[in-house]
Amino acid sequence: MTAIATVLADLEAHRGWLEDLYVDFHRHPELSSAETRTAGVIRDQLGGFGYEVHDIGGGVVGVLARGQGPTVLMRADIDGLPVVERTGLDYASTATSTDPDGDTVGVMHACGHDVHITALLGAARLLAEAPEDTWRGTFIALFQPAEETAAGAAAMVEDGLVGKIPRPDVALGQHVMPAPAGRVGTLAGPAMSAADSIKVTLHGTGSHGSMPQLSVDPVLLAANVVQRLQAIVSRELAPDDFGVVTVGALNAGTKSNIIPAFATLRINTRAYSKKVRSRLLSSIERIVHAECEAARSPEPPEFEYYDQFPLTDNDAEVTDLVTTAFRRHFGEDRVMAPNRLSGSEDFSRIPDAFGTPYTYWLLGGFTEDAERVPNHSPFFAPVPHPTLTTGVEAIVVAGLAYLAPEE
Ligand code: ZN
Ligand code: ZN
């Protein structure tokens, strides 16, 4: 029997446990950076399987060492979203919470992070229960808070992650997507975009609406900035370089006859390379400064960067090894060849902190004929079976490609 077959031998027997665990997480979602109950359940489970358990930066890390061999880290994100669930499932969330602004909001696992937690706990259990000689090395199950706000991976790194656990030789992650359940797939190179949000404050001089000569009008200034920013992608990037610049919010003024004193813009950018990313950001700053100068703005503009996501850049060698293992285990027809996603993830901050290569794959979560509901929708409802068992298998198969390589 292969190592994979040995580790997965009890998967069917554990299916009830796995689905109960999933329903429990789904019913009890928590907002980013407030995942205390979730972390508690994870901590108890990992301890029960015999893992050495660490609390790091709001996350939980389990380490299971089985002698000399490679170290494999698998990451799951654990936060929910401020979304009122409308799936109609009998285990739908009715949770509410207080958000950072003090407002009461509904909370839902609308991005499927409950699938990620459950699958990683399932794989962690099977790897721990497998006979001692099935695999050699160290398996690290890392549960990360606050992916949705891009704060969680950074918080774990800042809390000393690198010094507290063994250095992984390879890092792995997965995300459930609107694709058929039972399928997995990854791609080499930039798989998900780098993202930045910037709040820009433009200063003017307020005046009566009838006396524009005494003003520096920040409304006109903001309009010119918005127009000019759209020339970055169209005129400064090569046609085959991907980049997005979106002005998602423009706020200024209150009344028709008052010229306000300032305007604010909220800008979002996406890129698949560090070069394009830094070009977008430097061009935005250059254009804003120049337009402020042109408008006689009385004070320099202010830039506040937030919700910054790094590039997810899958290592070619790791991706190839994992894809080969997926094909051998699942069969060709269950291995997807996904396109790059314009969405973003903070996963890569963890392997990057160790200088470790990684791959991040996608996991299907819906029936073949189901209407494709996107992540973050109040209707996002992955089917527990076979999504959970496929998620467990993918982790075991990718992990054992290192911990028990087949020759
Ligand atoms: Zn999400
Ligand atoms: Zn997500």
Side-chain angles (χ1 to χ4, degrees):
M1 198 142 86
T2 63
I4 292 172
T6 306
V7 173
L8 293 177
D10 284 336
L11 179 57
E12 266 314 300
H14 288 344
R15 227 181 91 187
W17 166 77
L18 210 57
E19 292 181 8
D20 288 348
L21 201 57
Y22 172 69
V23 164
D24 181 64
F25 287 124
H26 192 84
R27 278 201 172 119
H28 299 99
E30 293 173 297
L31 291 176
S32 303
S33 302
E35 305 92 335
T36 46
R37 178 189 184 275
T38 308
V41 175
I42 294 166
R43 198 179 296 124
D44 290 349
Q45 291 284 345
L46 288 173
F49 310 150
Y51 281 70
E52 176 192 305
V53 182
H54 303 261
D55 290 309
I56 304 174
V60 182
V61 187
V63 179
L64 185 65
R66 287 255 169 111
Q68 285 295 318
T71 296
V72 174
L73 181 149
M74 176 73 197
R75 173 271 207 175
D77 43 7
I78 68 172
D79 50 335
L81 282 160
V83 171
V84 178
E85 179 157 356
R86 297 176 66 193
T87 58
L89 294 167
D90 58 6
Y91 55 89
S93 163
T94 55
T96 58
S97 185
T98 308
D99 74 6
D101 296 331
D103 296 324
T104 300
V105 291
V107 188
M108 173 187 176
H109 267 299
C111 202
H113 297 182
D114 46 355
V115 171
H116 310 163
I117 308 167
T118 308
L120 182 49
L121 285 174
R125 177 174 180 180
L126 292 175
L127 286 164
E129 288 176 354
E132 196 71 32
D133 60 353
T134 313
W135 57 273
R136 291 178 67 78
T138 300
F139 182 70
I140 300 173
L142 184 147
F143 296 86
Q144 181 214 297
E147 184 279 328
E148 298 291 355
T149 54
M156 293 187 79
V157 172
E158 273 156 34
D159 195 28
L161 176 72
V162 171
K164 290 178 178 172
I165 62 167
R167 181 187 174 277
D169 296 294
V170 64
L172 309 167
Q174 68 178 348
H175 207 298
V176 65
M177 290 309 236
R183 296 195 197 168
V184 291
T186 179
L187 70 159
M192 278 182 288
S193 68
D196 293 272
S197 287
I198 317 159
K199 181 186 174 195
V200 179
T201 305
L202 304 168
H203 294 284
T205 304
S207 179
H208 194 281
S210 68
M211 291 180 263
Q213 75 279 15
L214 299 180
S215 79
V216 171
D217 183 356
V219 177
L220 179 61
L221 168 58
N224 287 334
V225 168
V226 172
Q227 291 266 13
R228 194 69 181 73
L229 289 179
Q230 291 311 326
I232 298 174
V233 172
S234 68
R235 302 291 85 180
E236 294 187 37
L237 296 188
D240 57 350
D241 270 339
F242 167 91
V244 176
V245 175
T246 293
V247 180
L250 191 173
N251 296 97
T254 51
K255 296 265 191 288
S256 66
N257 63 352
I258 301 173
I259 296 173
F262 66 94
T264 57
L265 304 178
R266 287 180 186 268
I267 304 169
N268 188 259
T269 65
R270 306 281 162 146
Y272 286 129
S273 77
K274 287 173 184 160
K275 192 173 135 248
V276 170
R277 178 195 196 181
S278 58
R279 179 61 187 259
L280 295 180
L281 300 182
S282 66
S283 294
I284 288 169
E285 293 213 11
R286 187 194 75 237
I287 287 167
V288 169
H289 277 291
E291 289 291 342
C292 287
E293 175 97 347
R296 298 172 294 121
S297 186
E299 275 178 65
E302 287 148 35
F303 299 87
E304 186 192 317
Y305 286 83
Y306 63 102
D307 285 1
Q308 294 186 283
F309 289 88
L311 183 68
T312 304
D313 192 3
N314 284 338
D315 180 78
E317 212 173 295
V318 174
T319 303
D320 185 57
L321 190 80
V322 168
T323 302
T324 304
F326 281 170
R327 288 210 180 101
R328 195 181 298 162
H329 175 74
F330 291 109
E332 293 283 341
D333 56 334
R334 289 179 62 192
V335 179
M336 307 181 280
N339 294 322
R340 304 194 293 196
L341 300 176
S342 56
S344 306
E345 252 291 341
D346 70 346
F347 158 73
S348 67
R349 287 210 174 104
I350 289 165
D352 284 350
F354 291 98
T356 293
Y358 59 86
T359 199
Y360 186 90
W361 66 80
L362 305 180
L363 173 71
F366 293 81
T367 52
E368 201 84 43
D369 53 350
E371 201 187 316
R372 295 289 163 88
V373 175
N375 299 64
H376 292 201
S377 158
F379 300 100
F380 188 75
V383 287
H385 189 68
T387 306
L388 296 172
T389 50
T390 307
V392 172
E393 287 176 71
I395 298 167
V396 167
V397 167
L400 291 181
Y402 292 88
L403 300 169
E406 282 179 51
E407 284 322 318

